[in-house]
Amino acid sequence: MGLFLKKIMDNAQAIQAWIQCLGNQYVLTEPNYLHECQTATFTTASQFLAILRPINTAEIQACLKIADQYQIPIYPISKGKNTGYGSKVAPSDNCALLDLGRLDQITDYNGKLGYVTVEAGVTQTQLYQFLREQDAPFWMDAVGASPEASLIGNVLERGFGHTPYGEHFAHVCGFEVVLATGECIHTGFGQFTNAQATPIYRWGVGPYLDGLFSQSNLGIVTKMTIWLMPKPEYFQAFYFSIEHDEQLADLIDALRPLRLNGTLKSAIHIGNDYKVLASIRPYPWTEMINKTPLTDEVLEQFAKTWGFGAWNGSGGLYGTRKQVAEARRLVKQALKGKVKRLQFIDDFTLQTLQKLEKPYQWLTKTKVSELLKLLKPVYGLMQGIPTATQLKSAYWRKKTLPLDPVNPEKDQCGLIWCAPIAPLDGASAVQINEIVNDVFFQYQFEPLISISLLTERCLNCVIAITYDREIPGEDERAMACYESLMEQLTQAGYYPYRLGIQSMKLLAQSEDSYQKLLTKLKHCLDPHGILAPRRYCPPLADSLNTDQ
Amino acid sequence: MGLFLKKIMDNAQAIQAWIQCLGNQYVLTEPNYLHECQTATFTTASQFLAILRPINTAEIQACLKIADQYQIPIYPISKGKNTGYGSKVAPSDNCALLDLGRLDQITDYNGKLGYVTVEAGVTQTQLYQFLREQDAPFWMDAVGASPEASLIGNVLERGFGHTPYGEHFAHVCGFEVVLATGECIHTGFGQFTNAQATPIYRWGVGPYLDGLFSQSNLGIVTKMTIWLMPKPEYFQAFYFSIEHDEQLADLIDALRPLRLNGTLKSAIHIGNDYKVLASIRPYPWTEMINKTPLTDEVLEQFAKTWGFGAWNGSGGLYGTRKQVAEARRLVKQALKGKVKRLQFIDDFTLQTLQKLEKPYQWLTKTKVSELLKLLKPVYGLMQGIPTATQLKSAYWRKKTLPLDPVNPEKDQCGLIWCAPIAPLDGASAVQINEIVNDVFFQYQFEPLISISLLTERCLNCVIAITYDREIPGEDERAMACYESLMEQLTQAGYYPYRLGIQSMKLLAQSEDSYQKLLTKLKHCLDPHGILAPRRYCPPLADSLNTDQ
């Protein structure tokens, strides 16, 4: 029997075994389902053999054993809302997609110590609704991704949100992990079945292993505990902008001491003019007479109408009324003379603004309702309220408006994220901004950039290449733009905090000893190379499967 | 040639090779040196073949290669100030001690972003002096261990201090690690030689590996970056006490919301009466007519004289004057009616107290100077100032006072720490306190307990068995007390955050799959079992060496 024929028969037998294990309706092989899962927001090549939809850990373990038996790699996703980084698509071909969406239970909630334990399929919206139903005195942290995105999926990609609990990986513990061998482990104090501190203390005793299962292909995290932020007595948001790029370094350096000393407890996000325009409306095809890229003149026209600047920031203040008042004083002091305008908004202001919408609009001719539409989702995110609005900027270059629910993959939106980390100083922000602008100018895309004061000491520049996949040649141009961007950023020492499925090769640039170590770890935990080949894996480890 | 003879010859050859590599004066085999390193503050059995003192990474790599060649296990220490947990002693016999004390360089300091990069031998005192010399606007975090303790050593044991940066493992990144194979890796973004964010962003890209090298025997961490806390505009300490054990649960539950919402940014430490007495003075042999254990009557007499209660707490408030004022208001509100006294002290109060020492003492008959002696080191620790005073309580049951420098191992102090983690709630604290008191009563030791509100959600009860090793039988009784304590605490679900060298067997109680995973990781990273056998290792992995 030829190898090719054997492979086909193995695949067929594996699918039969999976069907026997999960039931017919939870093993999907129909082309339309496969096609949907194989569609990202940029060019991808890999295809799936089948979609497996287990409902619990035992079924996952069984699926893995079958995969191992027939040597078919498994690509696990939680909800697959990895939009802009590859969506549900695997970085290697011919995997079975392991969709954990049916593991959707919130298995624990502690209203005293503020945590929930969730399964991999629990979404942002689901937790948000749950906490509302409980009338919980806690807020979750949300990200601008789809409200249907998995909490665990985001944690494992080490995502960041907008509240003081925004650094997701620093606010979780007690993982349940299914290893490639089918064995199930519990991290931290969870290794002891009767331990009381499992959901409230991350490190446990002995080596701290949680990090091993983030941005990796070393295990399938099926459950974890997520800590919740106590709802503050008072919340106030602030908004500011600067007119010119030249003021950017000063602005960031002025905010640094407040981020470093904890007066600003959450990430401050500063978007450039393109970014703001793209979150207000789609590309102005009429004004641009159908031409791309957007000219400075048209951009300036919109900036004038809407009153946004070259860079526009927002942040949240959390605490008692007095704590917030003091933080407000410090923010005012720091930004004095450095920004065009600095506005503080709370629930009361927002409600008043909504009530006065019409008379105000009549008086000032400013589009208050539109402004509110822009303001409110950001305001909500700072309180951990998921929103679908941020996803809409993926439609920037599309000629059709997004429908509900927003589905950028299906609608052939082009979107590639690149999010390098830099030291929290103005000079780094300026250098990255220059690199991005040069590259985007060359490739004729609008540089949608937002700079976040992510932690006490670092910046994260979130850069989006946004285009229309329906226009022939754009997929190639966008990817060329991305490749050039990555090359120039990493040459300047700015590396991304996470990787799209197309860029795992970056890990080949790391020191040899480090690659060797990762390869060894992969070999140790997944000797047959069954789990998500190439995902956050140096090239050496890729060859595991063929070693067999 | 017999196996025994071969072993002796191998050892001799290995020592020759190490001498060739490090120089004669940095390979110590004299019995007095070995004896010192083999002495902990409780009974231990293991002996060292030699002490190796390399000066840099290259020498460490060379030492490991020789160890591998002759199959001699290596036990690395930074400064070996693991007092109460085994000091410099290894959990397994016949290792060569790898003393990293000569790697004592502070290789980087960033006065803008607040970090230092240090080698393994850099001590608390050294960093403290360095920051003073730099007139740095930053504070380090210090622990109550010896001022000569290594910073990295404490980080790797996941130690905790007294400032907002007290959770050490959460404030470090960019490790340099020498693996058992002799290879050297750099974690986080350090895997890329030109990355700018290595010292300021912990996770890097791809799996986060730092945790793997904490509380483990999987690599030798030779260097890391430690983040520093911006010196606040204003600092105030607060002190409080309660009269009776019955008030403990209420006290802790009253503080929880403030710790959870970040009003209290650092650990609150609450010591029982025994703990306070032991930090003021040695055991009252005279009053007790040379009998042990301490009676309630004598304890109460001291409590009355000194004015301490059943439990006595301290905490720090950090920020601008207004931020501290608001925190003070919230602390007062929370503790109202729950504590006997609540005092706030700042630099000004402390100076005034020192000036008025004599007149005040005359007026009130309180021993102000003694009170200050007790107050000041804790006050200093909350500002990250290392102190040797805490170590002195190891002399509690000794009949001779400690000399400078304090050396509990040499002075045959008996000290065994046990530090279980519990959820931050009053009921847990009470349950642990009851267990400890019962066990200590049975073994006739004074239960020195301090309860820390360690993080937003957890308590750490730090329990000390303190005795005199010079009294025959005490070593055995103390260890029996410890074993009983561990058994009862873990049966109740309270597991320690770190382990002494005598208690690595606890890891045999974890789930099988977890032990198997740890064993695999050990096998993968250290196939010949060269590095610190048994250290944070389940029993299965112990057998590695004999498998060869």
Side-chain angles (χ1 to χ4, degrees), chain A residues 64-134:
Chain A
L64 279 173
K65 278 187 187 134
I66 296 164
D68 192 51
Q69 188 184 343
Y70 295 99
Q71 292 289 297
I72 298 172
I74 289 282
Y75 189 68
I77 58 166
S78 300
K79 292 289 287 184
K81 299 292 185 185
N82 198 18
T83 309
Y85 292 103
S87 305
K88 294 176 178 169
V89 185
S92 66
D93 206 13
N94 291 319
C95 295
L97 181 71
L98 189 75
D99 173 359
L100 306 182
R102 289 175 69 219
L103 283 87
D104 61 357
Q105 300 300 303
I106 297 173
T107 61
D108 194 10
Y109 163 64
N110 188 310
K112 203 161 66 174
L113 293 168
Y115 63 79
V116 286
T117 303
V118 300
E119 294 184 332
V122 174
T123 65
Q124 298 203 87
T125 295
Q126 198 183 337
L127 178 57
Y128 179 70
Q129 295 296 352
F130 174 84
L131 293 175
R132 278 174 63 117
E133 280 157 24
Q134 300 285 329

Side-chain angles (χ1 to χ4, degrees), chain A residues 174-332:
Chain A
F175 292 11
E176 178 181 85
V177 187
V178 177
L179 302 174
T181 54
E183 284 163 306
C184 181
I185 62 149
H186 297 84
T187 69
F189 280 131
Q191 66 180 289
F192 306 107
T193 45
N194 73 332
Q196 297 211 28
T198 306
I200 48 97
Y201 183 77
R202 346 180 207 174
W203 317 112
V205 65
Y208 166 68
L209 300 183
D210 292 3
L212 215 49
F213 303 107
S214 69
Q215 294 192 0
S216 86
N217 59 3
L218 302 173
I220 301 172
V221 180
T222 49
K223 205 197 272 197
M224 69 170 66
T225 293
I226 297 177
W227 297 335
L228 304 168
M229 172 197 167
K231 192 173 164 173
E233 177 190 302
Y234 183 55
F235 167 76
Q236 199 170 44
F238 63 101
Y239 297 85
F240 55 92
S241 59
I242 54 173
E243 298 260 28
H244 308 290
D245 268 0
E246 290 70 31
Q247 298 163 274
L248 180 62
D250 267 4
L251 171 66
I252 284 172
D253 290 334
L255 289 168
R256 182 180 53 239
L258 298 185
R259 188 75 179 102
L260 192 55
N261 74 20
T263 296
L264 298 174
K265 298 174 185 177
S266 58
I268 307 300
H269 297 280
I270 309 171
N272 69 355
D273 35 19
Y274 293 106
K275 177 85 183 174
V276 174
L277 187 61
S279 63
I280 296 172
R281 55 154 297 152
Y283 192 85
W285 294 111
T286 315
E287 292 82 345
M288 285 299 302
I289 323 166
N290 276 330
K291 278 185 188 154
T292 57
L294 191 67
T295 57
D296 288 352
E297 294 69 37
V298 174
L299 177 61
E300 270 163 35
Q301 198 54 50
F302 279 105
K304 207 175 275 176
T305 310
W306 288 91
F308 59 77
W311 292 91
N312 310 273
S314 63
L317 305 177
Y318 305 81
T320 61
R321 285 200 169 259
K322 282 186 183 166
Q323 283 169 342
V324 170
E326 175 62 354
R328 188 169 58 236
R329 181 183 74 83
L330 294 166
V331 168
K332 277 184 186 169

